[in-house]
Amino acid sequence: MSEIADKVKKIIVDKLGVDESEVTPEASFTNDLGADSLDTVELIMEFEKEFDISIPDEQAEHIQTVGNAIEYLESQQ
Amino acid sequence: MRRVVVTGIGALTPIGNTAEEYKKALFEGKSGADFITHFDTEHFKTKFACEVKNFNPEDHFHKREVRRLDPFSQFALVAAEEAMKDSGLDLEKIDLDRAGVIWGSGIGGFHTIEEDITEAALAKPGHRYSPFLIPKLISDIAPGHISIKYGFRGINYATVSACASSSHSIANSADYIKLGKADIIIAGGSEAGIVKAGVGGFSSLKALSERNDSPQTASRPFDKDRDGFVLGEGAGALILEEYEHAKARGAKIYAEIAGSAMTADAYHITAPHPEGLAVTKVMELALADADVTKDDIDYINVHGTSTPLGDIAEIKAIQNVFGESAYDLNISSTKSMTGHLLGAAGAIEALACIFAIQEGLIPPTINHFTDDPEIDPKLNLTFNKTQKRTVNNVICNTFGFGGHNTSIVIKKIS
């Protein structure tokens, strides 16, 4: 697994208080990991902070799953 | 006329993390003060406070919830839960549309304000604010959370009047129940203001004691050498219920909220009126509202924060109201033990009054060393040791910056 994927997982486990085993690429933040719309905004903020980037809102809207997040962040490196 | 009684209590205080522990500590005369652990106090004039001890949020909330709750809301939920359990209320059997929450906090999410605003100030332009910033810091979020937890769909808001906040909560709640607008209200308040900006801000107001060489004796209301209050944190919760409603379900009844009154000094933002005019008025109005006379009162739990001006003004007001009868009263400031819990003070002090009624004991004003020549020595300020006394009627006073005064009369249920 990439270093980016590791960091993304760690953030999700920490912020959503879920078990690491639940954080699969297909897992949806809202449907599978118990996040609400406020949590997803906060996740985006954490990704921005960790990777020192700015994620435009129109991109952020498409980041719905763990896999979406990893893919997007890898594309930004 | 509908009557209002207390049918459940909860407390999270610097001297005890449950109502029972708090009661025991009050009668033992225990101080909750110690050096601040929440942050490094190196550059602060005051290095101590009355913190809640051994409180681990994750013992009470899921990790994800902890991040969404400012400590003042965590304290609120913990105290409310204890009170709800204590009340024996069955959520399946009560009318949730007639059950409310009115909760006080002087400041609200002070930890959140400090942390998030600091982060924003240090960030690059275009900084994204946390979506939890607003819902964590607003004072009314605590009653919001409590209502979500229990499904109480009736009256719900926060009272904000600095150090009188939770007394306004109790007064408003009791009035609404009397008016028939609700049958049950969770009243009380919480505060978590031991943060840098809290200590620094009160310090600049010259409100805090600076007795760093002896934190435990710093809160010394009515002592000649008092030098300010000691900041506290925590929560107190009371389940207020209409009397017949409580009787019908066979509830345990602690006491009656017999009456209350609220006034304003209309004088200065932080200094009390030197003659205690509006404080005199608030006690007179509360006695009338409760339909008792001054001679019926056994005990006054005073605001008595241990500031040079405030303590004197309150004593003057008591003597204005009670005249010669003032000498028959027991008077005490439990802030000598708990410190000043700001928006939660009125709630935990109402509990102290209930304990006095329940046990026939007056909690002391600890840390008395030297008489203040400006205070009439014939008054019984219950110095240093718990005193025995049958207690039928109590006045609980609290006042807040802004000039808000609240007085509540609590009565033994016969």
Side-chain angles (χ1 to χ4, degrees), chain A residues 15-17 34 36 38-39 42 45 48-49 52 55 57, chain B residues 62-64 67-68 119 124 127-132 135:
Chain A
K15 291 292 164 187
L16 300 183
D36 63 15
L38 301 184
D39 292 309
E42 206 185 29
M45 286 176 60
E48 289 182 323
K49 231 188 277 174
D52 196 23
I55 305 175
D57 284 348
Chain B
H62 186 272
K63 199 178 160 197
R64 184 167 156 265
R67 285 191 312 109
R68 290 173 158 241
E119 190 185 331
K124 289 184 288 197
H127 168 74
R128 214 189 267 266
Y129 287 86
S130 164
F132 299 117

Side-chain angles (χ1 to χ4, degrees), chain B residues 79-102:
Chain B
E81 187 183 17
E82 187 191 356
M84 280 295 287
K85 277 189 184 152
D86 184 46
S87 73
L89 278 169
D90 182 345
L91 296 177
E92 307 282 314
K93 289 187 182 153
I94 60 173
D95 183 350
L96 296 168
D97 290 315
R98 291 186 56 78
V101 187
I102 301 178

Side-chain angles (χ1 to χ4, degrees), chain B residues 20-293:
Chain B
E20 201 53 41
E21 281 175 36
Y22 169 49
K23 175 162 88 176
K24 192 165 169 273
L26 280 175
F27 293 127
E28 281 171 1
K30 187 174 153 186
S31 164
D34 211 334
F35 293 104
I36 291 171
T37 63
H38 294 345
F39 61 89
D40 180 359
T41 57
E42 191 190 341
H43 300 292
F44 289 81
K45 280 188 193 159
T46 294
K47 301 178 189 304
F48 59 93
C50 287
E51 292 179 349
V52 167
K53 323 287 187 292
N54 305 316
F55 178 77
N56 178 17
E58 293 186 13
D59 294 344
H60 304 274
F61 308 100
H62 186 272
K63 199 178 160 197
R64 184 167 156 265
E65 256 184 307
V66 172
R67 285 191 312 109
R68 290 173 158 241
L69 296 167
D70 186 273
F72 98 102
S73 290
Q74 297 173 11
F75 293 169
L77 283 161
V78 170
E81 187 183 17
E82 187 191 356
M84 280 295 287
K85 277 189 184 152
D86 184 46
S87 73
L89 278 169
D90 182 345
L91 296 177
E92 307 282 314
K93 289 187 182 153
I94 60 173
D95 183 350
L96 296 168
D97 290 315
R98 291 186 56 78
V101 187
I102 301 178
W103 195 262
S105 182
I107 293 159
F110 215 167
H111 284 262
T112 302
I113 297 171
E114 179 160 285
E115 286 158 19
D116 286 29
I117 301 300
T118 304
E119 190 185 331
L122 297 173
K124 289 184 288 197
H127 168 74
R128 214 189 267 266
Y129 287 86
S130 164
F132 299 117
L133 170 63
I134 306 294
K136 276 175 80 177
L137 75 85
I138 50 181
S139 312
D140 54 290
I141 206 70
H145 280 298
I146 297 170
S147 71
I148 292 165
K149 182 162 179 189
Y150 300 105
F152 280 18
R153 295 186 297 260
I155 303 170
N156 191 294
Y157 63 91
T159 47
V160 178
S161 51
C163 311
S165 301
S166 52
S167 295
H168 276 101
S169 138
I170 296 168
N172 286 185
S173 301
D175 283 348
Y176 282 130
I177 293 172
K178 282 183 187 172
L179 285 169
K181 296 195 175 193
D183 296 325
I184 299 161
I185 298 183
I186 303 177
S190 57
E191 200 77 63
I194 306 177
V195 295
K196 290 178 192 167
V199 174
F202 281 118
S203 205
S204 294
L205 283 169
K206 299 277 171 213
L208 293 185
S209 167
E210 294 177 10
R211 200 177 296 278
N212 293 312
D213 60 348
S214 180
Q216 280 83 19
T217 69
S219 186
R220 48 176 83 185
F222 311 115
D223 187 274
K224 181 172 169 285
D225 300 318
R226 65 189 181 278
D227 71 332
F229 73 76
V230 178
L231 196 53
E233 63 177 3
L238 298 90
I239 307 297
L240 302 190
E241 190 170 350
E242 194 273 322
Y243 182 50
E244 296 298 333
H245 189 280
K247 267 203 318 193
R249 68 179 184 90
K252 163 180 63 186
I253 295 175
Y254 285 96
E256 178 174 5
I257 305 297
S260 65
M262 302 165 261
T263 65
D265 274 6
Y267 172 72
H268 186 271
I269 52 169
T270 56
H273 189 287
E275 298 304 316
L277 288 185
V279 172
T280 302
K281 192 73 186 169
V282 83
M283 283 187 275
E284 287 170 352
L285 291 172
L287 290 172
D289 191 49
D291 200 20
V292 295
T293 70

